[in-house]
Amino acid sequence: MKKIVKTVTAVLTAALLLTGCGGGSAPKETANEDAAQDYALVKEHTIIVGTNAEFPPFEFMDDNGEFDGFDIAVMKEVGNRMGMNVEVSNMEFKSLIGAMEANQLDVIAAAMTVTEDRKKSVDFTDSYYTARQYIVVQKDNSEIQSFADLDGKKIAVQEGTTGDFTASGEGSVNVVKDADVKRFKKGADAIMDLKNGSVDAVVIDMNPAMEFVNANDDLKIVEDETETEEYAFAVRKGNTQLIEAINNCLAEMKEDGTFDSLIEQYINE
Ligand code: GLN
């Protein structure tokens, strides 16, 4: 009896792999391996997704205290298609890569920009969104009209982000010089500091910038030409089957319109 149950489970697993956006290889001939092993997951049949749920519209907590946002919705859909559970783990943005290196996360879904430095620690899926940095200032500020105008200014940022690198003079285009950079764990706290006049500006990714400005009448956006950035999901180094499965799922979702409808729902609403 036990043997029969096992065989049935194995067949189911194989079917999941077949329909589960590929996974980079055909199911094993013996079909007796767990999907968890095929995708090198931390926990069987569960994709543990690390995020920082303070970056709307990509990730945030909804009114019922549930994780929501574009990245969360995409990863839930990827999990569905792969036949895996998705568990979300919330932490500071700058702790995500370390947690992945410590084997606590399978995927980082956090509007994370692909950078050469991060590529040393994690592998990235195909890009799913193109963004850039925006400057947020108080509405009555007429002095700051470009990144060049931020030289020597007080700038609040979210620690360890591309906004931080830009404000700290580590960006490659429109590098800000000699700014006094105040680093916060949350973008919302950087925005509070701007509202109470402690800093001259916030540098942050364009979509959260627009969300914060929409929610705060006293603030406005300053746009300037900047290099674009690509968001991608990160996986542990060498977890190629998981990358391929996610990439295949993303391609499938683009093909059948699911991806665009999530863009409409969360980003272009
Ligand atoms: N895209 C930015 C980065 O990767 C910010 C991401 C975030 O704060 N969640 O650094």
Side-chain angles (χ1 to χ4, degrees), residues 24 28 49 62 72 83 87 98 106 135 153 195 214:
K28 298 217 165 34
V49 174
D62 72 12
I72 307 296
E87 203 175 286
D106 297 306
I135 304 164
K153 293 284 190 300
K195 281 170 76 73
N214 284 341

Side-chain angles (χ1 to χ4, degrees), residues 34-218:
D34 265 324
Q37 209 168 327
D38 284 326
Y39 295 111
L41 301 173
V42 170
K43 203 164 130 187
E44 277 189 21
H45 298 292
T46 302
I47 299 174
I48 303 179
V49 174
T51 197
N52 172 240
E54 281 151 342
F55 209 66
F58 295 97
E59 37 270 334
F60 54 88
M61 293 304 226
D62 72 12
D63 295 340
N64 304 319
E66 306 279 345
F67 293 108
D68 201 0
F70 179 79
D71 291 341
I72 307 296
V74 168
M75 277 316 303
K76 279 188 179 162
E77 182 61 25
V78 165
N80 273 342
R81 288 175 190 231
M82 287 172 68
M84 304 277 185
N85 305 317
V86 169
E87 203 175 286
V88 181
S89 174
N90 196 20
M91 62 191 74
E92 285 170 14
F93 183 79
K94 77 172 184 45
S95 306
L96 286 163
I97 287 186
M100 173 154 277
E101 287 178 313
N103 226 27
Q104 291 158 2
L105 303 175
D106 297 306
V107 173
I108 297 172
M112 185 174 271
T113 302
V114 178
T115 69
E116 288 310 311
D117 203 42
R118 289 172 181 163
K119 275 196 213 163
K120 292 177 195 154
S121 314
V122 294
D123 284 343
F124 285 101
T125 64
D126 292 339
S127 158
Y128 62 86
Y129 194 72
T130 303
R132 58 201 182 90
Q133 296 300 309
Y134 273 5
I135 304 164
V136 183
V137 295
Q138 288 194 358
K139 209 164 217 165
D140 57 6
N141 182 319
S142 52
E143 196 193 343
I144 296 171
Q145 293 179 12
S146 67
F147 279 94
D149 292 337
L150 289 176
D151 289 354
K153 293 284 190 300
K154 280 191 198 148
I155 311 174
V157 296
Q158 191 184 351
E159 190 174 12
T161 61
T162 41
D164 182 358
F165 307 149
T166 303
S168 309
E170 293 162 26
S172 50
V173 172
N174 291 308
V175 168
V176 179
K177 291 182 208 73
D178 304 321
D180 178 1
V181 180
K182 279 181 83 176
R183 299 182 173 84
F184 292 88
K185 306 276 182 244
K186 304 179 188 182
D189 291 343
I191 292 289
M192 278 312 295
D193 220 44
L194 172 63
K195 281 170 76 73
N196 68 33
S198 306
V199 292
D200 304 299
V202 168
V203 176
I204 194 162
D205 297 26
M206 63 183 199
N207 299 89
M210 291 190 284
E211 295 257 345
F212 286 129
V213 168
N214 284 341
N216 292 282
D217 283 349
D218 51 339

